[in-house]
Amino acid sequence: MFTRNSTVSGTLKASMSSSTFASGSSNSSGNSKASVDFARFARETFEKTYGAPTYVAAEARRSQGQDKVISIEYTTSQRDFARDSKRKVAGHMVLGIDDDSTTATVLAKGVPADAGSVSMSLRSPVDSSVVAVLRTASKTERFVEIWHDGALAKSIDVSSVHGEFYGDSTFGKLAWSVNGKSIVYAAEKPEYDKARPEPATPDNSGEEIAGDITDDIIGGVAGIADPRRYEVESDWGETFDGKRPPALVVLDVSSGAARVLAAPDGVSPGQAQCLEECIVFTGYKYAVRKHGIVYCQNRPTGIYTCDFDGGNVKCLHSGSVRSPRVTPSGKGLVFLSTTPGGPHASTSELIYYDLADESATIL
């Protein structure tokens, strides 16, 4: 691939240089003009083609009381050649479903807005005027925002709670609880403590405070870091190079309190959804080494549930499964399943899992 600032610009400069060098010859001047015109045409064609927006995410929901009207919020990715960067844009449209239910008409379309600092956003299932937004203000500053009727109602600083948000399609997912009181999302696990400035003290229960050293040293010791800080833990490769492992985070919208849930041993959680009393998520399994996952849907995984405090973890279905979604009735799940092993991106099956009788059916 080439960019405007490299090959295309170089061709244009070379053509202009040729024009200057051959200024004494009318034939050379004609050739130089043709070269410049061609370079300009090539650049414009390249920018128009390579700069076309690509849809990367979307959420669709029926309007209350109007089964034939669907509201869609979507995100596109587009190359900005002037800034030499990729930009993320959020948009909104309203579709009207025709009587035959086979075609749709765009009834309204909002003005696209730059979403470069937004990892994910989602409307509340209880009140559609309430929107949760995961925003990265800088490399070290992260916030969860709650918007109501287009106005910022609450901004919660979670920078010290966890690392970067996971906003990808492999681990990332923002979900509201059924009652609209909490949100669940994926983020990097927090780093273990550096050297403590002063000794830690036990709490009233007699147990050590979270974050204290618990291996060979009893209690916190001033000047000594948590030994787990220096344990080597590999990443998931490819687009996750250098990222700490993911963890699920539950945030109480009212109080702003955020809790990082402990992951099951040998499992990296992601793609969280909410049932009435528990969280559903995809668990990516690993042993000593984590193999690349983003392009390999044949890796060992499972569909898990856990309580909102991270307890009572249960694996519902194992294999090479991913992307669980809760059915509208809340009585079942649908998810994708790929044959373990073999081609990395082979054909997937759509599975329905009945929560009552714990059975899986291929649709």
Side-chain angles (χ1 to χ4, degrees):
M1 290 289 184
F2 57 85
T3 65
R4 176 179 181 179
N5 296 330
S6 55
T7 307
V8 175
S9 298
T11 303
L12 184 57
K13 291 178 181 177
S15 300
M16 294 177 68
S17 298
S18 299
S19 176
T20 303
F21 177 77
S23 59
S25 169
S26 60
N27 186 46
S28 297
S29 297
N31 291 337
S32 296
K33 184 178 183 305
S35 298
V36 171
D37 290 342
F38 174 77
R40 183 180 293 110
F41 172 77
R43 184 187 68 197
E44 292 174 352
T45 301
F46 171 76
E47 292 185 358
K48 182 180 295 185
T49 303
Y50 192 52
T54 302
Y55 289 89
V56 295
E59 289 280 347
R61 64 173 65 209
R62 294 185 184 277
S63 298
Q64 295 181 351
Q66 302 182 63
D67 291 341
K68 295 291 185 177
V69 178
I70 296 179
S71 175
I72 300 178
E73 294 180 347
Y74 59 90
T75 303
T76 61
S77 176
Q78 188 170 9
R79 175 71 65 176
D80 186 330
F81 292 97
R83 299 184 184 183
D84 193 22
S85 64
K86 273 189 175 181
R87 300 182 65 180
K88 192 162 60 172
V89 177
H92 176 254
M93 68 172 66
V94 178
L95 299 181
I97 308 301
D98 294 341
D99 292 336
D100 57 7
S101 298
T102 59
T103 57
T105 303
V106 177
L107 302 178
K109 194 170 184 179
V111 178
D114 189 288
S117 63
V118 176
S119 295
M120 287 189 166
S121 64
L122 186 66
R123 291 186 182 275
S124 167
V126 177
D127 184 351
S128 61
S129 66
V130 177
V131 182
V133 176
L134 308 183
R135 188 181 302 278
T136 301
S138 68
K139 190 173 182 179
T140 59
E141 294 180 306
R142 290 168 292 277
F143 298 86
V144 174
E145 299 174 349
I146 305 299
W147 292 75
H148 183 229
D149 281 335
L152 181 63
K154 185 175 294 187
S155 183
I156 304 163
D157 189 345
V158 293
S159 307
S160 62
V161 178
H162 54 70
E164 294 181 7
F165 296 117
Y166 270 88
D168 59 283
S169 59
T170 302
F171 295 103
K173 194 74 178 73
L174 172 59
W176 281 88
S177 61
V178 176
N179 59 17
K181 294 181 178 180
S182 303
I183 61 170
V184 183
Y185 58 91
E188 287 182 317
K189 289 169 57 177
E191 288 188 288
Y192 290 112
D193 289 341
K194 297 181 180 179
R196 302 181 68 90
E198 58 185 29
T201 56
D203 59 18
N204 295 331
S205 66
E207 299 179 353
E208 295 163 14
I209 297 174
D212 289 350
I213 298 171
T214 58
D215 293 337
D216 298 329
I217 303 173
I218 303 301
V221 179
I224 299 180
D226 188 319
R228 294 171 296 180
R229 180 179 176 85
Y230 305 106
E231 292 178 356
V232 176
E233 190 167 9
S234 61
D235 55 42
W236 280 100
E238 294 158 324
T239 59
F240 304 111
D241 287 343
K243 294 200 71 169
R244 296 198 298 277
L248 296 184
V249 182
V250 177
L251 183 141
D252 184 285
V253 173
S254 178
S255 67
R259 174 198 291 264
V260 178
L261 305 185
D265 292 338
V267 172
S268 286
Q271 299 181 333
Q273 296 281 306
C274 291
L275 289 168
E276 188 169 351
E277 298 180 351
C278 64
I279 300 170
V280 181
F281 63 91
T282 301
Y284 296 87
K285 302 178 182 179
Y286 63 90
V288 177
R289 179 184 177 187
K290 297 185 180 79
H291 298 280
I293 193 70
V294 67
Y295 304 117
C296 308
Q297 290 82 27
N298 60 342
R299 303 296 192 205
T301 61
I303 302 298
Y304 293 79
T305 60
C306 71
D307 295 338
F308 280 87
D309 62 0
N312 197 26
V313 178
K314 180 181 179 180
C315 182
L316 303 181
H317 194 85
S318 291
S320 293
V321 291
R322 65 193 188 279
S323 302
R325 297 292 186 271
V326 181
T327 59
S329 66
K331 298 180 179 180
L333 305 172
V334 290
F335 52 84
L336 296 173
S337 175
T338 304
T339 303
H344 286 178
S346 58
T347 304
S348 298
E349 297 173 329
L350 185 63
I351 305 293
Y352 172 76
Y353 184 88
D354 190 295
L355 293 169
D357 59 22
E358 300 183 349
S359 63
T361 306
I362 300 175
L363 299 178

